[in-house]
Amino acid sequence: MLSHSPTDTINFAGRQVFVKRDDKLHPNFSGNKARKFYHFLINDFPKVTRIVGSGSAQANSLYSLSVLAKMKGWQLDYYVSHISAYIQSQLQTYPVIVSNFTQAHHNGANIIQVDWGQAKLSGCKHLDDVINILKPEYLNRYSEQQILFIPEGGRCEYAKTGIYQLGCEIIDWAKGQNISALSVYLPSGTGTTAVFLQQYFIKKCQKEIIDIKVLTCSTVGGDTYLANQFCELNPDKTQHPTIINDGNKYHFGKLYLPLFELWNDVLETSGIEFDLLYDPIGLSVLKRYIEANQCPDRQVLYIHQGGLLGNATMLPRYKRKLANT
Ligand SMILES: Cc1ncc(COP(=O)(O)O)c(C=O)c1O
């Protein structure tokens, strides 16, 4: 199933919140990547033989791209800046411990660690810069039709196909529920999902006479960084989602015990397991927002963007941290 995820209702921060269960979209794709890579899943690319991507060794995009490559019979070259000893050691415990890294490795992904020190000396700020340097080499070996370069985190125009599909499902659902004012909320990384969703709602909602706004928070680099990311994807600021925060600046991938406590509370009270990288920040920011009575007259829909395989790495890290406090 690649579209039409179900919607649940939970009690959160003293009110009713709807949860769009994109984590249930496809067993082998994180919800977010099922949307972002929908374009590649539903279309044929008869000449393509190889995809080239980059990101963290723990990223669900590594895993999802490895599944996509396997399904399509393509080779995946995935560039990472660092593979920690801990992540590497998970290969010994596979399949007892299944993580994004081990499963991608098992799926035949070619996971390539770049010399990040050297790359930085060559002026690279992001892994995408490394890919840009490698591009001519690839295009010497393969034709442009044979190879797909996918930016880090699926941050590309192709992502619109699946994200617009998500937007369409939300409008249909809201109409079915007779909702006239809806805040759609999701934690952002690159901001791609949030900005394309907002763009879609602006286009569609005028005709539908329904008021849908996208709210988001930053989990990487802070609010200014996220606003800049939006500008790169869509220079028209009037089409950007609203960024909210809880007054704290978080560092991506860092462990925060109060957030883990909140994540556990939500798991216990709602029975829904959220991811441990984006959602603890997302939940904390939304909780603060609701408690400050910022959206009394609007329904709230939280998008569960999957990423649960990453919990195989995050949960033991949190448990070790808890044991050491
Ligand atoms: C589980 C999960 N949540 C949130 C996000 C953030 O999405 P975006 O990068 O589109 O902001 C991602 C993206 O990788 C994700 O995998």
Side-chain angles (χ1 to χ4, degrees):
M1 189 172 68
L2 291 168
S3 59
H4 295 93
S5 58
T7 301
D8 287 342
T9 310
I10 64 171
N11 286 318
F12 179 74
R15 65 167 283 172
Q16 171 185 272
V17 168
F18 296 104
V19 182
K20 175 84 170 153
R21 300 296 304 272
D22 264 14
D23 55 314
K24 293 192 168 175
L25 270 179
H26 188 289
N28 294 330
F29 283 93
S30 135
N32 182 274
K33 298 302 169 307
R35 297 295 186 185
K36 281 185 177 162
F37 301 151
Y38 186 65
H39 182 84
F40 303 110
L41 287 160
I42 61 160
N43 290 305
D44 280 335
F45 298 84
K47 296 210 169 120
V48 170
T49 59
R50 184 168 291 262
I51 38 178
V52 178
S54 63
S56 142
Q58 298 178 60
N60 57 37
S61 62
L62 164 57
Y63 168 61
S64 303
L65 282 176
S66 78
V67 177
L68 175 69
K70 199 172 163 190
M71 282 164 70
K72 298 275 188 176
W74 300 336
Q75 175 59 51
L76 167 64
D77 289 351
Y78 189 90
Y79 290 84
V80 300
S81 57
H82 180 63
I83 304 176
S84 71
Y86 174 64
I87 291 188
Q88 191 74 43
S89 73
Q90 290 178 333
L91 290 177
Q92 264 79 59
T93 47
Y94 182 86
V96 178
I97 296 179
V98 178
S99 66
N100 288 316
F101 178 77
T102 56
Q103 195 58 50
H105 187 270
H106 182 76
N107 287 343
N110 198 9
I111 305 168
I112 305 156
Q113 187 171 333
V114 301
D115 183 341
W116 187 238
Q118 189 56 45
K120 271 177 148 171
L121 287 177
S122 317
C124 296
K125 289 205 177 97
H126 309 283
L127 280 161
D128 281 338
D129 301 331
V130 176
I131 305 293
N132 280 335
I133 291 176
L134 293 171
K135 236 179 207 174
E137 242 176 75
Y138 271 106
L139 293 174
N140 263 339
R141 281 188 283 149
Y142 307 96
S143 71
E144 275 194 43
Q145 288 90 349
Q146 282 178 304
I147 194 156
L148 282 173
F149 294 96
I150 301 186
E152 192 170 348
R155 187 172 164 273
C156 52
E157 286 289 303
Y158 294 120
K160 271 185 191 164
T161 314
I163 295 170
Y164 282 9
Q165 168 63 32
L166 168 61
C168 174
E169 285 170 37
I170 292 173
I171 291 179
D172 286 348
W173 168 82
K175 284 199 298 192
Q177 300 279 324
N178 289 323
I179 291 173
S180 55
L182 178 68
S183 292
V184 172
Y185 175 75
L186 67 164
S188 280
T190 63
T192 312
T193 315
V195 89
F196 287 165
L197 254 189
Q198 179 68 81
Q199 199 170 299
Y200 180 80
F201 292 139
I202 287 172
K203 261 195 221 152
K204 294 286 165 186
C205 289
Q206 286 157 344
K207 284 186 218 135
E208 304 283 355
I209 323 177
I210 183 170
D211 166 13
I212 306 188
K213 291 201 172 68
V214 177
L215 291 177
T216 189
C217 69
S218 169
T219 61
V220 182
D223 293 3
T224 309
Y225 170 80
L226 182 58
N228 289 337
Q229 294 277 99
F230 290 161
C231 286
E232 279 184 27
L233 290 159
N234 183 346
D236 182 353
K237 286 189 181 172
T238 64
Q239 297 196 356
H240 289 182
T242 304
I243 302 172
I244 57 175
N245 64 55
D246 64 1
N248 297 310
K249 184 162 182 195
Y250 297 104
H251 295 276
F252 192 65
K254 203 172 160 193
L255 306 184
Y256 298 95
L257 287 179
L259 298 192
F260 185 53
E261 205 178 300
L262 175 63
W263 178 90
N264 264 313
D265 275 355
V266 175
L267 176 62
E268 260 171 44
T269 54
S270 69
I272 299 180
E273 180 182 353
F274 285 88
D275 108 293
L276 272 164
L277 269 173
Y278 300 88
D279 288 322
I281 300 173
L283 292 166
S284 172
V285 171
L286 181 62
K287 184 166 180 279
R288 181 71 66 92
Y289 187 75
I290 291 172
E291 285 170 353
N293 206 21
Q294 300 273 16
C295 49
D297 305 325
R298 306 178 69 85
Q299 295 295 339
V300 176
L301 176 71
Y302 189 110
I303 303 181
H304 188 323
Q305 298 176 85
L308 297 182
L309 206 57
N311 288 2
T313 309
M314 291 300 285
L315 254 183
R317 285 183 64 206
Y318 264 118
K319 285 188 178 152
R320 272 200 306 274
K321 187 168 171 92
L322 263 182
N324 291 331
T325 49

